[in-house]
Amino acid sequence: MMWPAWLAERFLSMKKKSIGLRGLTLSALATALLSALPAWAVDPFTLRDIRVEGLQRVEAGTVFASLPFRIGDQYNDDKGSTAIRSLFGLGLFSDVRLQVNGDVLVVIVEERPTVADVSFSGIKEFEDEALRKALRDIGLTEGRPFDKALADRAEQELKRQYINRSMYAAQVVTTVTPGERNRVNLNFSVVEGDVAKIREIRIVGNQAFSESTLRNLFDLDTGGWLSWYTKSDRYSRAKLNADIETLRSYYLTRGYLEFRIESTQVAISPEKEDMSITINISEGNRYVVKSVALEGEYLGKEEEFKSLVTLRAGEAYNAEDEASTVKAFTDYFGAFGYAFAQVEATRDIDRVNKQVSFVLRSQPARRVYVRRINVEGNNRTRDEVIRREFRQLESAWYDSDRIRLSRDRVDRLGFFTAVEVDTQPVPGTPDQVDMTISVVEKPTGNLSLGAGYSQAEQLSIIAGIRQENVFGSGNYLGLDINTSKFNRQLVLSTVDPYFTPDGVSRSFDAYYRTTTPYTEQGGDYRLVTPGVSVKFGVPFTEQDTVFFGIGVEQTRIEPGNGLPQAYQQYSDTFGESSNSVPVTVGWSRDGRDSALVPTQGRLQRFNTELGVGGDTRYLKANYQLQQYFPLTKQYTLAFNTELGYGKGLGGKPYPIFKNFYGGGLGSVRGFDQGTLGPTSPILSGTSAGQLVNIGGNRSIALNAEFIAPFPGAGNDRTLRMFGFVDVGNVFGEQEKLSFSQLRASVGVGLSWISPVGPLRFAIANPIRKFSGDRIQKFQFQIGTSF
């Protein structure tokens, strides 16, 4: 909750103003009276004694420490005025007087009342403890002097916060109750009332686009059945301003160069429960770009700069193209060290023919280099962790591309909520700049305990301890535990992202996994796989990293009933326990705009695993490609391709435990999880002869999704619905890869970025299936994509 931050920030400034004004005003008045009235003036004398009267809780030492004189010092009117100002400045007294008796000075004070208790009644929108902490931070708490001006301002600020939450009927009353020993009880009583809802949004003056089309651009709306979640029908000035800018951008990117907002009216009903918003606009004419010319100094690279121009003659004017062209010019100048290049786009509007001509004028100014790079805000993270991500170096020419890359690399560390870069010229040296990178740290430790559920795995307890930035070193340390009924695991991981100064990463993993058959198989055997591995990530380019690794693992079959024939054959070949030394090589490139809710960009992964030692010899490889195409602000088209291939080497069979599985979420929806592909009969027990799925050494999965906002959720990207088409299958070593054997399904689904992770529901209808396929039309799981 953001309450404490805004309350502390506002009230702290209020407190300073309140105390300062009162203290200065009274002391100034006292000084004026002392200097103006001869009866109050005293001749300078030597202090023989100083006494303090009127104290109740304040220590006498506090008063003596604020006086600008001591016993034996010379006293005069100026020192008396200074003493009064100092005592008022403490904020502890409502009245201060000085009385001279011969050569004895008597300081007479009247203490402010002390707050005995702060209470709240009728408040549901905010938490009491959060309010108490906010008031405590600015001095309005138990045991502190009571400041009525501060309490009054707190009441007004609380009212404003209710208004910000569309609770216009809220009433706040502050009650101050005197108590014993000059103490007061402070109570904030609130009648919150109902939330004011937006009942109408009107756009007046539109001709080119329908009112419904323009309203659909807004985050604010008149509500729907999901408004309890999105709160989109609650008025917010900030949201309205954002929606108005969205509306302006919509017109300016479609040729309406002279579009403007004439006025905006927000009306509230007398009951303060209903609101209406009216936006009056003037569209103006639609303009077409006539020409684009360059003027000024372009470092002899006019052709390169022309290639950056996105404004095109004959096309409708687009404000985004104009802004992106100016930015591209500025950035290109920056890449050559011209940090303060001036680029201006001037327009020549022909209203008769509805055309506009552009002249891009540039002045690169002086080339500069970076003198010093400063880092601010890293209270926990070590400087070197941030600096090693820099690609812009000190005492090197200013390079906007390297600065932008440096900022992005620091942001991708995941240790900070905000990363900003500021460039300032060095006074007196026109060819030097200082660069400051400011970060806002976030907690990087994670202690989690939760439950997961999938229709294949049933209920499982999930626990983890992770620290992505151990002791501020940038290293990762994690322990994960999964207590699934059928697949359990314990994994200890550590990653050093800069094992070498060149950025080669090193990771260690130690794991222990057990697998038992699903309930319907009726078996009680266990597959146990302990292992360790080490992996190195070598950055070949800024976008591409290749991973090399080696590990040692053991696969052990603990006998029991219901063992499939394929597992028995593996045991006959390698024994009940087999060892393997896998070498891994992988490559990844992620160009998506978001890892959780991507709308554009591409993700590619390629991984190979080669068994080079122990009892097995094999090759396992898989490739994944995801591509996202933004159709509009709200709609996205997504494609996913996954291919897998495995083969035994050296005359040895491909290990069955390395098989690929298909079916269900993450593969071909509508089919039971992991049930596509080859099967093997159970040899013994009550389920003898029953076929169970064992996966295969080749797999293919093709997915396409049309992603749209959930009805009533507006532009909330954390809650979306999608339609999909899935195609795929898994094939065994002895089976021919045939497209005629591919399964296919269509359906709809819902994705939600919940507090426990990405949650996806899918309802699928298989449109290509075969006899024996296990169908499961409704599926859901946490943490899957596609």
Side-chain angles (χ1 to χ4, degrees), residues 347-651:
R347 309 167 186 159
D348 182 10
I349 300 176
D350 182 357
R351 292 181 173 83
V352 175
N353 297 311
K354 300 178 182 178
Q355 294 179 328
V356 56
S357 300
F358 285 89
V359 176
L360 296 167
R361 294 187 173 89
S362 298
Q363 179 57 46
R366 184 186 297 272
R367 193 181 186 192
V368 301
Y369 66 89
V370 177
R371 183 188 69 165
R372 182 179 299 119
I373 299 176
N374 303 309
V375 180
E376 295 180 350
N378 56 318
N379 298 320
R380 172 182 172 82
T381 306
R382 301 173 189 172
D383 258 27
E384 63 173 327
V385 173
I386 299 175
R387 290 184 179 276
R388 67 193 183 190
E389 302 298 331
F390 290 174
R391 293 301 177 262
Q392 171 68 57
L393 304 178
E394 293 181 339
S395 301
W397 288 116
Y398 176 96
D399 189 327
S400 59
D401 291 340
R402 290 181 176 272
I403 292 175
R404 183 166 52 254
L405 179 60
S406 300
R407 183 225 168 267
D408 292 344
R409 288 180 62 91
V410 173
D411 194 22
R412 284 199 295 265
L413 289 173
F415 306 156
F416 314 108
T417 58
V419 179
E420 300 294 338
V421 175
D422 183 37
T423 302
Q424 295 291 338
V426 177
T429 53
D431 62 343
Q432 296 181 31
V433 296
D434 285 341
M435 190 176 86
T436 301
I437 183 163
S438 303
V439 299
V440 178
E441 292 185 311
K442 68 176 183 181
T444 55
N446 187 329
L447 174 61
S448 61
L449 178 64
Y453 187 88
S454 71
Q455 289 165 313
E457 301 291 332
Q458 306 299 314
L459 181 67
S460 61
I461 301 300
I462 304 168
I465 302 175
R466 304 180 187 91
Q467 176 53 260
E468 298 179 1
N469 187 14
V470 179
F471 307 120
S473 65
N475 295 346
Y476 169 87
L477 179 64
L479 175 66
D480 291 291
I481 302 172
N482 190 326
T483 64
S484 164
K485 184 176 181 181
F486 305 108
N487 294 284
R488 301 187 177 188
Q489 70 173 5
L490 174 66
V491 181
L492 176 65
S493 304
T494 178
V495 180
D496 181 356
Y498 274 81
F499 177 62
T500 70
D502 296 328
V504 175
S505 65
R506 181 194 64 190
S507 62
F508 284 112
D509 290 290
Y511 52 88
Y512 186 88
R513 301 186 179 99
T514 63
T515 303
T516 57
Y518 292 137
T519 303
E520 62 268 20
Q521 296 181 18
D524 59 1
Y525 65 91
R526 286 206 318 162
L527 309 178
V528 181
T529 306
V532 295
S533 66
V534 61
K535 184 186 296 183
F536 298 91
V538 182
F540 280 79
T541 70
E542 290 293 343
Q543 294 80 28
D544 300 287
T545 299
V546 177
F547 298 93
F548 303 91
I550 187 170
V552 177
E553 67 180 17
Q554 180 188 71
T555 302
R556 186 170 68 254
I557 301 176
E558 296 185 355
N561 292 324
L563 188 67
Q565 180 179 357
Y567 289 173
Q568 185 62 56
Q569 291 174 345
Y570 181 89
S571 179
D572 294 341
T573 303
F574 296 103
E576 292 183 354
S577 177
S578 62
N579 300 316
S580 178
V581 180
V583 173
T584 58
V585 179
W587 164 79
S588 67
R589 173 184 288 182
D590 192 350
R592 298 174 298 173
D593 60 343
S594 170
L596 286 178
V597 283
T599 60
Q600 63 180 348
R602 176 185 299 172
L603 166 68
Q604 293 187 83
R605 295 188 184 122
F606 178 72
N607 293 288
T608 60
E609 183 178 316
L610 186 65
V612 298
D615 302 315
T616 60
R617 297 291 188 275
Y618 65 91
L619 169 68
K620 181 180 181 180
N622 62 284
Y623 171 76
Q624 181 182 23
L625 169 66
Q626 289 184 5
Q627 183 71 56
Y628 295 85
F629 299 97
L631 303 179
T632 66
K633 179 183 178 181
Q634 296 178 315
Y635 301 101
T636 303
L637 191 61
F639 297 95
N640 178 67
T641 299
E642 290 190 62
L643 304 174
Y645 176 79
K647 180 179 177 60
L649 302 177

Side-chain angles (χ1 to χ4, degrees), residues 115-133:
V115 177
D117 180 60
V118 179
S119 61
F120 307 92
S121 57
I123 294 180
K124 299 178 182 178
E125 191 71 11
F126 305 102
E127 295 179 4
D128 284 4
E129 188 54 38
L131 299 179
R132 292 179 190 278
K133 183 179 183 303

